[in-house]
Amino acid sequence: MDKLKDVLLTATREAGKIILHYFNGDFKIDHKEGVNNLVTEVDHLAEKKIIEVITASYPSHSIIGEESGEFIQVSDYQWVIDPIDGTVNFAHAIPICCVSIGVLYNGSVIMGAVFNPMMNELFFAEKGKGATLNDRPIKVSSKSDFKTAFLVTGFPYKWPENTLEHPVKVFERMVLEGLPIRRLGSAAIDLCWVACGRFDGFWEYNLSAWDVAAGYIILLEAGGTITDFDGQIGNVYDKQTLATNGLIHRDMLNVISRRESQLL
Ligand code: IPD
Ligand code: CA
Ligand code: CA
């Protein structure tokens, strides 16, 4: 496990150096699906470096990278990489973005690292060993009064059908609770900031495994709770993410699943 941790942290820090080097500088920006879903040359450079570091030590492990796709091998281990989570922020020189790498063993996340080099904040967790921020143990907040909770969320690029869980409707219901809500633009940072107690809860629809893999284990190891919008415990591939300090989880589930008729 120590070698796995070393490789994970080396890959994370190396990618962080690349991100910091280009931050607020010149780089090429392209568009993925949709005009506002951006990717920069720095995303590609960082992911290339991460994959180089991983394969140098673990050539037989499977790897899923947001920008380069899947390298599936016969292995119990799978690395899930988001070279820059918060690319739109990065492209606009907003220092809320990070590298996020999770390691899965037989489909369950066992280790994760999230590094925001602009703030010099490195979050790390290993299953059963707690979570840290710059080597100091972190834990979720102790807020149990939902009426005074501080929340964060995000919006997907692709919108679902007009369902009960439609992101705008859920957002409206949360706002009507009179709660302060932020939208930072990096799901990995959102999860870590719940893990270290800055926020009490986070929800988002339609995230990808690379957005949440590292933050998932960091949040759990910090004492948090993460489920889908029905309260079911799942995995990093879930399309609904509700992550809280545990104490306000039921309240958030109630708001997310409340029917319009119940508001009358
Ligand atoms: C995005 C961020 C954002 C979330 C989007 C993600 P990217 O990741 O995590 O907070 O709302 O759904 O796609 O594109 O910057 O890696
Ligand atoms: Ca992402
Ligand atoms: Ca990304």
Side-chain angles (χ1 to χ4, degrees):
M1 281 302 189
D2 283 354
K3 180 181 167 195
L4 199 68
K5 179 177 175 181
D6 279 354
V7 173
L8 171 61
L9 291 180
T10 302
T12 304
R13 287 200 181 96
E14 289 295 318
K17 277 187 211 161
I18 294 171
I19 294 170
L20 189 59
H21 175 79
Y22 284 94
F23 183 73
N24 206 13
D26 292 326
F27 46 81
K28 200 165 159 283
I29 302 176
D30 283 322
H31 300 264
K32 295 202 271 194
E33 279 175 81
V35 287
N36 289 315
N37 193 352
L38 308 181
V39 62
T40 72
E41 66 178 304
V42 187
D43 294 69
H44 291 291
L45 287 170
E47 185 159 306
K48 187 165 173 278
K49 184 70 187 176
I50 293 165
I51 292 173
E52 267 170 29
V53 172
I54 296 167
T55 50
S57 293
Y58 296 114
S60 64
H61 285 188
S62 291
I63 296 176
I64 297 180
E66 180 182 7
E67 309 307 341
S68 42
E70 301 188 358
F71 304 91
I72 301 297
Q73 314 215 58
V74 183
S75 171
D76 292 333
Y77 289 90
Q78 185 176 55
W79 296 70
V80 183
I81 304 163
D82 194 338
I84 303 181
D85 186 56
T87 295
V88 177
N89 283 347
F90 178 76
H92 292 85
I94 291 171
I96 301 178
C97 46
C98 61
V99 48
S100 170
I101 309 176
V103 186
L104 276 60
Y105 180 74
N106 286 333
S108 293
V109 62
I110 55 164
M111 210 179 268
V114 170
F115 182 37
N116 176 347
M118 280 64 67
M119 294 180 71
N120 191 27
E121 289 198 334
L122 174 59
F123 294 86
F124 171 79
E126 180 176 347
K127 195 171 181 188
K129 295 199 172 172
T132 55
L133 164 53
N134 292 345
D135 294 323
R136 291 214 176 106
I138 52 170
K139 61 180 171 56
V140 291
S141 73
S142 54
K143 168 88 60 182
S144 58
D145 179 11
F146 183 55
K147 289 194 292 300
T148 58
F150 187 35
L151 306 178
V152 63
T153 189
F155 299 106
Y157 294 112
K158 282 191 200 156
W159 294 87
E161 294 301 307
N162 199 16
T163 63
L164 183 65
E165 279 82 26
H166 191 287
V168 170
K169 287 189 177 162
V170 174
F171 184 68
E172 183 184 27
R173 290 201 289 276
M174 288 290 180
V175 170
L176 289 173
E177 293 288 315
L179 303 175
I181 302 170
R182 300 291 179 265
R183 196 287 195 241
L184 298 183
S186 163
I189 288 179
D190 295 334
L191 286 165
C192 289
W193 287 18
V194 176
C196 70
R198 291 175 186 162
F199 291 113
D200 306 306
F202 163 66
W203 84 97
E204 186 161 350
Y205 175 83
N206 215 19
L207 290 169
S208 298
W210 45 76
D211 300 313
V212 298
Y216 199 102
I217 184 82
I218 292 166
L219 187 276
L220 283 179
E221 287 296 323
T225 300
I226 186 162
T227 69
D228 66 12
F229 293 167
D230 293 318
Q232 299 300 311
I233 294 169
N235 58 45
V236 301
Y237 291 97
D238 283 345
K239 285 293 156 200
Q240 301 171 334
T241 304
L242 173 62
T244 74
N245 63 4
L247 302 170
I248 61 160
H249 209 83
R250 176 51 54 193
D251 296 288
M252 286 194 71
L253 279 173
N254 286 343
V255 177
I256 288 172
S257 63
R258 192 181 300 152
R259 297 198 174 277
E260 299 308 302
S261 59
Q262 290 176 283
L263 289 172
L264 302 173

